[in-house]
Amino acid sequence: MPSIRQGSIHLFRFAGVDLFLHWSWFVVALFEIERWKSRYTSIAWSALEYLALFSIVLMHEFGHALACRQVGGTADQIVLWPLGGVAYVNPPQRPGATLWSIAAGPLVNVALLPLLIAAVAMSRSMGWVHTMPDAYLLLRAVMWINVSLLAFNLLPIYPLDGGQILRSLLWFVLGRARSLMVATVLGLLGIVGFIGIALWARSFWFAALSAPMLTNFPGTPWLP
Ligand SMILES: [Zn+2]
């Protein structure tokens, strides 16, 4: 289990799940809010965008945790840190139960998608582009954040959700051990590719995003 819970503060408990926030979240939040402020007329909007990002991450993690409990597994902690969230889940060792616990996270983003698209379309038709440009830009940013999170999480790179969904599907056919082995090998290839892109693009964020893929690998008792 990653040690990131050390140095985290307890925010609240909901439906039997404790939510923790790692201290480094605040440092990166200040940095990002400052970096995004040029998009808006006031820094408050950039802070709202950052909070919206983490609200979506939080709903995604609760999707994992609640689905895991629904199928009889244990899930009692979620930690938010600068690069996203982690739900500590332990579903029953059956492919169907595991698949549902994993798929429920991205399904939250799928459910949010039409709502956010409708909100952006409505704000546009009400003329917010001119009357409330900050609110319009925020809504549009939140819609794209949701799309990006969904796309990133569905990459078939174990232990990202997409890789774990692939593993659960293989579990039905190959059995527990072999499905994990295949998913792990595919995941390692994916991580090498990801780091390659990071070096090629000289992207700090790409490099940073490969970190959670490398931690506590394989057989993760948590979901990004
Ligand atoms: Zn997830």
Side-chain angles (χ1 to χ4, degrees), residues 91-106:
Q93 292 299 305
R94 299 190 305 270
T98 305
L99 179 61
W100 174 235
S101 305
I102 297 160

Side-chain angles (χ1 to χ4, degrees), residues 5-222:
R5 259 177 310 163
Q6 287 148 19
S8 300
I9 54 166
H10 183 233
L11 286 187
F12 61 78
R13 185 178 173 88
F14 173 75
V17 183
D18 284 303
L19 177 69
F20 294 89
L21 184 65
H22 194 254
W23 67 267
S24 59
W25 188 89
F26 293 100
V27 179
V28 178
L30 287 177
F31 174 77
E32 288 298 299
I33 290 168
E34 178 67 24
R35 205 164 65 98
W36 294 352
K37 76 174 180 192
S38 57
R39 299 176 198 171
Y40 301 103
T41 56
S42 144
I43 196 167
W45 291 98
S46 146
L48 271 178
E49 185 182 330
Y50 200 72
L51 288 177
L53 160 65
F54 274 85
S55 305
I56 294 177
V57 170
L58 190 59
M59 285 188 268
H60 173 108
E61 300 308 334
F62 265 103
H64 286 309
L66 298 179
C68 179
R69 293 165 79 100
Q70 192 193 1
V71 291
T74 51
D76 49 16
Q77 282 176 346
I78 291 172
V79 180
L80 292 181
W81 60 307
L83 297 170
V86 173
Y88 292 84
V89 296
N90 195 3
Q93 292 299 305
R94 299 190 305 270
T98 305
L99 179 61
W100 174 235
S101 305
I102 297 160
L107 281 174
V108 169
N109 300 101
V110 171
L112 285 172
L113 198 60
L115 299 177
L116 290 171
I117 290 173
V120 171
M122 267 175 61
S123 66
R124 199 197 306 255
S125 69
M126 288 191 298
W128 283 19
V129 184
H130 305 293
T131 54
M132 286 195 277
D134 283 315
Y136 172 74
L137 286 172
L138 175 67
L139 266 181
R140 212 180 54 173
V142 172
M143 185 195 72
W144 282 114
I145 284 170
N146 184 56
V147 170
S148 314
L149 286 174
L150 179 61
F152 176 71
N153 272 299
L154 285 181
L155 289 175
I157 304 175
Y158 195 91
L160 293 182
D161 290 340
Q164 298 213 42
I165 287 171
L166 177 67
R167 188 266 158 134
S168 305
L169 293 172
L170 290 172
W171 191 344
F172 285 105
V173 201
L174 300 176
R176 192 182 162 196
R178 277 165 71 199
S179 64
L180 184 60
M181 196 181 73
V182 172
T184 303
V185 171
L186 289 174
L188 278 174
L189 290 174
I191 289 172
V192 169
F194 218 80
I195 293 172
I197 292 173
L199 290 173
W200 174 73
R202 297 195 180 159
S203 160
F204 165 75
W205 284 113
F206 255 95
L209 284 171
S210 40
M213 301 181 196
L214 287 166
T215 50
N216 210 40
F217 181 98
T220 50
W222 52 268

